[in-house]
């Protein structure tokens, strides 16, 4: 999911098969589920929105899927926050993932800038079915 046509186009260029703009498609959870085979839902969700998006993540998660909660960009609103029993209702795993503090992020950015580090993007794009080949390719680059 993304918030603009420009970002959607970039994601498609990077190999995304489907992109949903959550600003123009507020029920993106239902839209995402419809894109999966037999409407079964998605296997993995990286949830960064929090209270504002978690309900939609529950709508599109597959039976026995995993929602990895990394952040709360849309804030924390106790009135909108799903209850823990949603994981039981949707038979899925919800786990918190710690990615570091803002201070650690600032330190990392300073280190990247000080050492003039630039990320490399490989021109080769793999489909999800080619995950094994993608890992092999990544390892061969080292």
């Amino acid at each position: 999911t993304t918030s603009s046509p420009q970002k959607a186009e970039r994601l498609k260029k990077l190999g995304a098969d489907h992109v949903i703009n959550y600003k123009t498609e507020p029920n993106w959870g239902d839209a995402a589920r419809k894109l999966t085979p037999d409407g079964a839902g998605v296997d993995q969700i990286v949830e960064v929105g929090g209270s504002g998006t978690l309900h939609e993540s529950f709508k599109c998660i597959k039976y026995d899927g995993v929602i990895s909660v990394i952040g709360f960009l849309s804030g924390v609103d106790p009135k909108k926050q799903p209850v823990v029993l949603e994981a039981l209702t949707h038979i899925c795993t919800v786990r918190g993932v710690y990615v570091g503090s803002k201070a650690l992020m600032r330190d990392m950015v300073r280190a990247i800038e000080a050492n003039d580090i630039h990320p490399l993007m490989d021109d080769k794009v793999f489909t999800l079915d080619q995950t094994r080949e993608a890992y092999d390719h990544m390892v061969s680059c080292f």
Side-chain angles (χ1 to χ4, degrees):
T1 60
T2 191
S3 62
S4 75
Q6 297 81 9
K7 290 178 184 178
E9 198 54 43
R10 174 78 172 134
L11 291 169
K12 288 177 184 176
K13 285 180 182 175
L14 290 171
D17 292 321
H18 305 285
V19 179
I20 301 169
N21 184 326
Y22 59 82
K23 288 191 174 185
T24 58
E25 180 58 63
N27 295 317
W28 58 263
D30 292 328
R33 179 175 283 279
K34 288 176 186 172
L35 292 171
T36 63
D38 299 320
V42 299
D43 295 302
Q44 297 277 333
I45 295 173
V46 178
E47 171 60 61
V48 298
S51 299
T53 59
L54 199 49
H55 281 290
E56 292 300 314
S57 289
F58 276 119
K59 283 184 183 178
C60 63
I61 194 67
K62 185 178 193 175
Y63 173 81
D64 208 25
V66 177
I67 301 174
S68 297
V69 181
I70 292 179
F72 292 91
L73 291 176
S74 66
V76 178
D77 181 350
K79 294 176 186 166
K80 291 183 180 178
Q81 193 69 24
V83 296
V84 73
L85 291 178
E86 289 287 332
L88 180 59
T89 302
H90 296 278
I91 313 298
C92 66
T93 300
V94 179
R95 75 174 115 220
V97 178
Y98 181 69
V99 293
S101 66
K102 285 183 182 180
L104 288 173
M105 175 66 131
R106 288 186 193 109
D107 289 346
M108 181 185 70
V109 169
R110 278 195 292 274
I112 289 169
E113 289 173 347
N115 293 287
D116 198 29
I117 297 171
H118 300 275
L120 297 176
M121 296 292 284
D122 198 317
D123 291 334
K124 188 151 178 64
V125 176
F126 297 87
T127 65
L128 191 57
D129 292 335
Q130 296 173 306
T131 301
R132 180 66 195 168
E133 291 89 345
Y135 279 115
D136 291 341
H137 176 72
M138 185 175 64
V139 168
S140 73
C141 293
F142 293 105

